[in-house]
Amino acid sequence: MKSLLKNILRPLYYYVKSKQQREFYRLLDTFGYSQRFIMTKNVHFLNYTFNIPDGASFIGQFKEIFVDEIYKFETKNTIPVIFDCGSNIGTSLLYFRENHPNAKIIGFEADDTIATLSIENLKKNNITDITVISSAVWIDNKGIEFSTEGADGGSIKGEHNLKKVPSIRLKDFLLMETSIDFLKMDIEGAEYEVIQDCADALSHVENIFIEYHSWNHSIQTLGDILHILEKNGFRYYIEDISKRKHPLINKNISSPMDLQLNIFGYKTR
């Protein structure tokens, strides 16, 4: 009975206590049933104002970033270094700046339209000290075919709205820093190739986040990614995003992906 009461009362408790939780419900009420991929200008949330290209994806971002705080980390460095690979419209960049006001923050976004929107959103909130690079995070600087979606689902694995976009080799950027406090990698399917390429350049990264995608009809690469993290001294925690019930029966064959995970890596030494 006590456990049941906790489950019933917990959402009410957080609603009353948390400004972020209350803001999430307000945004959900505003955009929860709105049409997808419609630009909405001057959306006010917390102390910020953004132009957003898609209400549904923004709600998901806001909950993960500001309510659940999945990118929260601690550091003793006075000027921490943060690489945000897949920075989208800038929601995560806002969070990093709010929590680490002196940090050196670099965002990478493959979709040039979304990257431009991110820069505009930062300026709109008087944030001028974050660098946003309009390029795909990849294993070379030769450019790559990228499927644009108009929100947060663009991917090198997509088949529609393909266009050649500039790319940067992440390894080169990692090696330019003596210490990296947080590396966020939400690059929609490119994580395996990039992590492989960076395998010997992660020793000075203290915290890492990887959104892992397992594409149907492709070899699963989770074991290789975890092995690279282990070799570089990370312990890891894995969170299942897909939460598929009865996975031995429901194999999700008809979907593009059969598994999606959040991987959190951190150094303990």
Side-chain angles (χ1 to χ4, degrees):
M1 178 61 72
K2 185 181 292 186
S3 176
L4 178 61
L5 285 174
K6 281 184 178 180
N7 289 333
I8 293 172
L9 296 175
R10 186 178 290 114
L12 179 60
Y13 169 76
Y14 284 116
Y15 179 83
V16 172
K17 183 180 179 181
S18 170
K19 178 175 67 174
Q20 289 80 3
Q21 187 79 54
R22 294 194 299 273
E23 190 74 319
F24 166 68
Y25 284 123
R26 185 186 67 81
L27 291 168
L28 186 63
D29 183 59
T30 303
F31 295 106
Y33 300 98
S34 62
Q35 186 176 347
R36 296 292 310 271
F37 308 112
I38 298 295
M39 175 68 71
T40 307
K41 294 191 173 182
N42 297 319
V43 174
H44 301 287
F45 63 100
L46 301 177
N47 298 316
Y48 307 112
T49 302
F50 259 30
N51 296 336
I52 63 173
D54 178 54
S57 61
F58 176 70
I59 291 170
Q61 289 177 19
F62 181 86
K63 185 174 188 304
E64 280 191 338
I65 296 168
F66 282 99
V67 179
D68 300 335
E69 294 191 280
I70 65 170
Y71 303 139
K72 187 173 184 177
F73 72 95
E74 295 178 337
T75 178
K76 294 180 180 178
N77 290 334
T78 55
I79 305 177
V81 176
I82 300 171
F83 283 0
D84 187 341
C85 304
S87 53
N88 200 248
I89 63 171
T91 315
S92 52
L93 298 174
L94 276 188
Y95 177 83
F96 291 134
R97 174 54 72 228
E98 182 177 294
N99 286 272
H100 302 280
N102 298 318
K104 174 183 176 180
I105 303 172
I106 301 178
F108 303 87
E109 175 52 47
D111 188 324
D112 58 346
T113 301
I114 298 296
T116 299
L117 184 59
S118 171
I119 294 168
E120 293 171 352
N121 282 335
L122 293 174
K123 288 181 179 178
K124 188 184 289 285
N125 293 277
N126 299 313
I127 298 174
T128 58
D129 59 349
I130 292 178
T131 301
V132 176
I133 297 175
S134 180
S135 294
V137 169
W138 190 230
I139 61 175
D140 58 44
N141 304 312
K142 300 176 183 178
I144 190 170
E145 289 287 315
F146 185 79
S147 172
T148 60
E149 180 238 21
D152 59 355
S155 172
I156 67 165
K157 303 291 186 179
E159 300 177 351
H160 305 289
N161 301 321
L162 287 170
K163 65 177 182 178
K164 185 80 173 281
V165 301
S167 65
I168 61 96
R169 189 184 187 194
L170 180 62
K171 181 178 180 178
D172 295 339
F173 279 80
L174 296 180
L175 292 176
M176 284 191 285
E177 303 291 339
T178 57
S179 177
I180 298 168
D181 298 84
F182 187 73
L183 170 60
K184 172 202 160 199
M185 195 176 296
D186 183 1
I187 50 179
E188 301 295 330
E191 61 275 358
Y192 172 60
E193 291 88 347
V194 173
I195 281 290
Q196 270 201 322
D197 188 55
C198 295
D200 58 352
L202 296 172
S203 60
H204 61 305
V205 176
E206 292 301 315
N207 301 279
I208 189 169
F209 169 89
I210 304 169
E211 187 172 283
Y212 167 75
H213 306 78
S214 170
W215 300 88
N216 262 320
H217 313 301
S218 296
I219 296 173
Q220 291 184 310
T221 57
L222 177 61
D224 293 337
I225 291 174
L226 296 181
H227 180 62
I228 290 169
L229 294 182
E230 290 170 2
K231 283 180 62 178
N232 280 277
F234 288 98
R235 293 193 66 82
Y236 49 79
Y237 172 83
I238 299 175
E239 178 183 60
D240 179 17
I241 302 175
S242 49
K243 293 182 172 60
R244 181 158 39 104
K245 290 185 177 180
H246 312 301
L248 299 180
I249 298 172
N250 173 22
K251 299 175 183 177
N252 231 26
I253 296 174
S254 61
S255 299
M257 289 185 291
D258 58 358
L259 180 63
Q260 191 173 352
L261 303 171
N262 286 338
I263 304 172
F264 303 84
Y266 49 91
K267 303 283 179 66
T268 57
R269 62 177 189 277

